[in-house]
């Protein structure tokens, strides 16, 4: 069976353990803070496993907090999907679902506090001017002409901004820090923007919305977060995160720690880009089984355990860890399903076989183990009849030497049944092979015939009792390892035209009536799962989760 894969290093876990060991921290509190502007993807799974996993391992807490400061891009459907995904992965948050917007009143009071202290001001510069005045990495910024506004005027303008008196883009509230700072994030960052939008949580109450930077750390402080874990692109924001904590009467002092984001080859991990695939109709919604979203992976047949295992294998490092091979992800699901998915036979491209030396009404039924290593799985009843199907790919009229499957005059074993020999090939008018006439060697049930080498074992399904199935084979959505590497080019140019191939297949009778979201190994074919939405007991739709070949195990051996 599968071997236990060791967990990869996780520097944050090590650090937290040390802090707990020397009593610096008694109980950790983390949070998972998605912005509800799309569905969660495999990159978020890394963050979820890290935040919830750490809390779980150390007896701490993890909060679920929506970082909802941009009403224009956020929607309730995303909130619902995100909660469902986190729960499906097997995690429970501590306390209620929280929203950064729960703290809008407090944040506004703190903005006024900064104004009173002379540490924030209302700026009338246009967004373009603000950008131009900000300077560059090599040149300092230029102070805005409004930077020296008096406290009273600032307070009044801020209040009028809040009341909705000004147009969008007309004014912003900025922190007054240092226009010459080598860290551009400290060059008087924006705290509030005017937005006359309806917010999914606060309705029309607000006409100004706080920036991410002004919201995140303070929300952490309000909730008593001890470790605020985020991806590396926020490293340069840490001084600002700390500046707010230093300059506001916050109730606690969380610490921001950055880690490397997960990037997978052949995969986009950006909600914005995934949304384009949905909006352009390239995929069948956010949970299309080809999408790297958690809900897409679920529909494809991934299990929560396999995604968690993958995150353990990836580990957590402090520096950019490059592209992770998608073979590692498929290895994680394959090894779970190898142990846990019952077996069945399914023929994707049915080719009819007629057994010529049996009676018209011939029928034998075999009891076959549901799983080779598990006696807790139901025994399958597999019937053999005079007419059956094998896969077209398992027959060749003029086979090369190493082809051990069926060919004229050759023998193969029908899995769990007899050895048969192909005596005759029937073709249609166009020359296409449409039927094989074969004879059964009745002496071969469960044993190989003396003195003959029968190497090939084929899966097959009775033509009388088989169940029709729609089978969808998925492949990577992109043909390039890094579809979005070239900023100027379009990742739409690298779409894989064969990312979905549908078959009218036929499955063994034990598959009849399979409930949605049920997983199987189709012997010799791969791992499959009935589609959560499209599959019904009357019309079964199976999605291929992964093939059988484990390229990751090979890579690991070589490495
Ligand atoms: P996207 O670019 O896809 O929108 P994001 O970082 O803007 O991602 P958020 O909703 O803000 O998405 O992310 C919630 C949490 O998930 C954040 O803490 C973020 O750092 C983390 N996260 C997002 N993408 C990844 C990734 N690829 N690897 C690890 N963590 C990630
Ligand atoms: Mg974001």
């Amino acid at each position: 069976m599968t071997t236990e894969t060791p967990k990869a290093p996780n520097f944050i876990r090590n650090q937290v353990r040390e802090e707990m060991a020397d009593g610096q921290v008694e109980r950790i509190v983390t949070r998972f803070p998605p912005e509800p502007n799309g569905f969660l993807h495999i990159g978020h799974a890394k963050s979820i496993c890290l935040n919830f996993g750490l809390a779980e391992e150390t007896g701490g807490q993890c909060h679920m907090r929506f970082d909802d400061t941009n009403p224009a891009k956020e929607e309730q459907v995303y909130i619902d999907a995100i909660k469902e995904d986190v729960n499906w992965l097997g995690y429970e948050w501590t306390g209620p679902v929280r929203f950064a917007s729960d703290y809008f009143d407090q944040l506004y009071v703190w903005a006024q506090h900064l104004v009173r202290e002379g540490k924030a001001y209302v700026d009338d510069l246009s967004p373009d001017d603000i950008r131009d005045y900000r300077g560059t990495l090599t040149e300092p910024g230029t102070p805005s002409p409004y930077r020296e506004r008096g406290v009273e005027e600032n307070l009044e303008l801020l209040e009028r901004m809040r009341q909705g008196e000004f147009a969008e883009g007309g004014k912003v509230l900025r922190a007054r820090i240092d226009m010459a700072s080598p860290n551009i994030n400290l060059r008087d960052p924006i705290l509030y923007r005017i937005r006359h939008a309806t917010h999914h949580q606060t309705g029309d109450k607000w006409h100004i919305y706080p920036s991410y930077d002004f919201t995140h750390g303070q929300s952490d402080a309000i909730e008593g977060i001890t470790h605020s874990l985020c991806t590396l692109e926020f490293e340069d924001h840490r001084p600002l995160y700390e500046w707010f904590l230093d300059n506001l009467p916050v109730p606690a002092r969380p610490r921001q720690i950055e880690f490397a984001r997960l990037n997978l080859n052949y995969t986009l991990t950006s909600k914005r880009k995934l949304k384009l695939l949905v909006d352009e109709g390239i995929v069948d919604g956010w949970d299309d089984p080809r999408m790297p979203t958690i809900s897409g992976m679920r529909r494809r047949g991934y299990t929560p355990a396999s995604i968690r295992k993958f995150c353990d294998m990836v580990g957590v490092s402090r520096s950019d860890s490059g592209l992770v091979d998608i073979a590692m992800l498929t290895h994680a699901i394959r090894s779970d399903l190898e142990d846990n998915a019952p077996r069945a036979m399914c023929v994707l491209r049915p080719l009819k076989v007629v057994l010529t030396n049996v009676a018209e009404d011939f029928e034998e039924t075999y009891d076959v183990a549901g799983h080779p290593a598990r006696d807790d799985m139901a025994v399958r009843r597999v019937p053999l009849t005079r007419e059956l199907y094998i896969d077209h790919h398992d027959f060749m009229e003029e086979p090369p030497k190493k082809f051990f499957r069926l060919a004229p005059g050759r023998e193969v074993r029908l899995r769990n049944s007899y050895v048969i020999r192909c005596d005759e090939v029937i073709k249609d008018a166009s020359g296409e092979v449409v039927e094989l006439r074969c004879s059964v060697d009745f002496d071969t049930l469960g044993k190989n015939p003396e003195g003959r080498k029968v190497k090939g074992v084929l899966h097959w399904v009775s033509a009388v009792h088989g169940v029709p199935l729609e089978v969808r084979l998925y492949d990577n959505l992109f043909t390039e390892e890094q579809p979005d590497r070239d900023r100027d080019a379009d990742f739409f140019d690298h779409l894989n035209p064969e990312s979905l191939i549908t078959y009218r297949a036929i499955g063994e009778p034990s598959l009849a009536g399979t409930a949605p979201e049920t997983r199987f190994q189709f012997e010799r074919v791969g791992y499959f799962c009935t589609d959560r939405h499209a599959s019904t007991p009357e019309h079964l739709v199976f999605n291929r989760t992964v093939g059988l070949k484990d390229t990751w195990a090979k890579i690991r051996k070589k490495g």
Side-chain angles (χ1 to χ4, degrees), residues 31-48 51 67 82 212 216 229-234 259-263 269-274:
R31 85 287 169 270
F32 175 62
E35 185 182 354
N37 60 353
F39 280 49
L40 299 181
H41 51 64
I42 184 69
H44 294 107
K46 174 176 177 176
S47 176
I48 292 169
N51 282 292
D67 211 336
I82 290 171
Y212 168 87
H216 200 79
L229 314 177
C230 63
T231 37
L232 278 174
E233 65 269 25
F234 291 102
F259 63 94
R261 32 182 322 121
L262 170 69
N263 296 308
T269 45
S270 151
K271 277 181 287 187
R272 187 177 60 75
K273 292 173 187 167
L274 294 175

Side-chain angles (χ1 to χ4, degrees), residues 327-479:
M328 197 198 264
L329 178 63
T330 53
H331 167 81
I333 180 63
R334 195 178 288 107
S335 64
D336 181 355
L337 296 178
E338 182 179 333
D339 293 350
N340 298 308
R343 285 14 182 190
M345 291 196 285
C346 169
V347 172
L348 292 188
R349 291 149 291 235
L351 171 60
K352 188 187 263 184
V353 169
V354 178
L355 303 178
T356 50
N357 60 340
V358 303
E360 201 65 45
D361 61 351
F362 168 84
E363 186 160 332
E364 265 180 25
T365 303
Y366 313 110
D367 283 341
V368 177
H371 187 285
R374 299 219 357 210
D375 46 22
D376 59 327
M377 288 190 186
V379 167
R380 302 136 54 194
R381 306 270 297 153
V382 179
L384 177 69
T385 48
R386 184 167 176 271
E387 296 197 351
L388 56 118
Y389 293 109
I390 64 167
D391 197 293
H392 251 288
H393 285 189
D394 285 333
F395 173 78
M396 270 183 103
E397 213 176 355
E398 288 163 29
K401 223 174 172 181
K402 294 248 153 153
F403 187 81
F404 297 119
R405 292 167 273 166
L406 205 52
R410 293 216 187 155
E411 289 185 322
V412 291
R413 173 176 294 284
L414 295 178
R415 188 153 171 78
N416 304 305
S417 178
Y418 298 105
V419 170
I420 60 168
R421 190 184 61 227
C422 176
D423 303 316
E424 197 185 340
V425 178
I426 315 275
K427 296 180 184 175
D428 65 9
S430 68
E432 174 120 22
V433 176
V434 290
E435 187 182 306
L436 304 177
R437 305 237 146 187
C438 299
S439 49
V440 177
D441 181 342
F442 285 99
D443 223 14
T444 55
L445 194 60
K447 61 174 197 285
N448 255 353
E450 296 265 333
R452 274 149 45 209
K453 282 185 193 143
V454 180
K455 282 204 179 156
V457 180
L458 305 189
H459 61 286
W460 54 278
V461 172
S462 155
V464 183
H465 300 291
V467 229
L469 312 174
E470 179 178 335
V471 173
R472 300 174 178 171
L473 253 53
Y474 299 99
D475 199 350
N476 296 333
L477 255 180
F478 296 99
T479 50

Side-chain angles (χ1 to χ4, degrees), residues 60-127:
Q61 301 185 344
C62 182
H63 295 181
M64 175 79 205
R65 184 204 311 148
F66 286 98
D67 211 336
D68 55 347
T69 56
N70 184 356
K73 294 199 169 160
E74 299 165 5
E75 285 177 34
Q76 187 63 40
V77 282
Y78 298 141
I79 294 177
D80 297 339
I82 290 171
K83 290 195 295 195
E84 188 180 347
D85 287 346
V86 172
N87 284 151
W88 179 74
L89 280 175
Y91 295 111
E92 291 285 344
W93 43 87
T94 309
V97 170
R98 294 157 217 253
F99 294 87
S101 55
D102 295 342
Y103 314 129
F104 280 177
D105 285 320
Q106 176 66 76
L107 289 170
Y108 186 73
V109 169
W110 280 339
Q112 290 174 314
H113 176 89
L114 289 179
V115 171
R116 281 197 198 91
E117 303 263 302
K119 291 173 184 165
Y121 60 98
V122 172
D123 194 346
D124 297 1
L125 284 183
S126 69

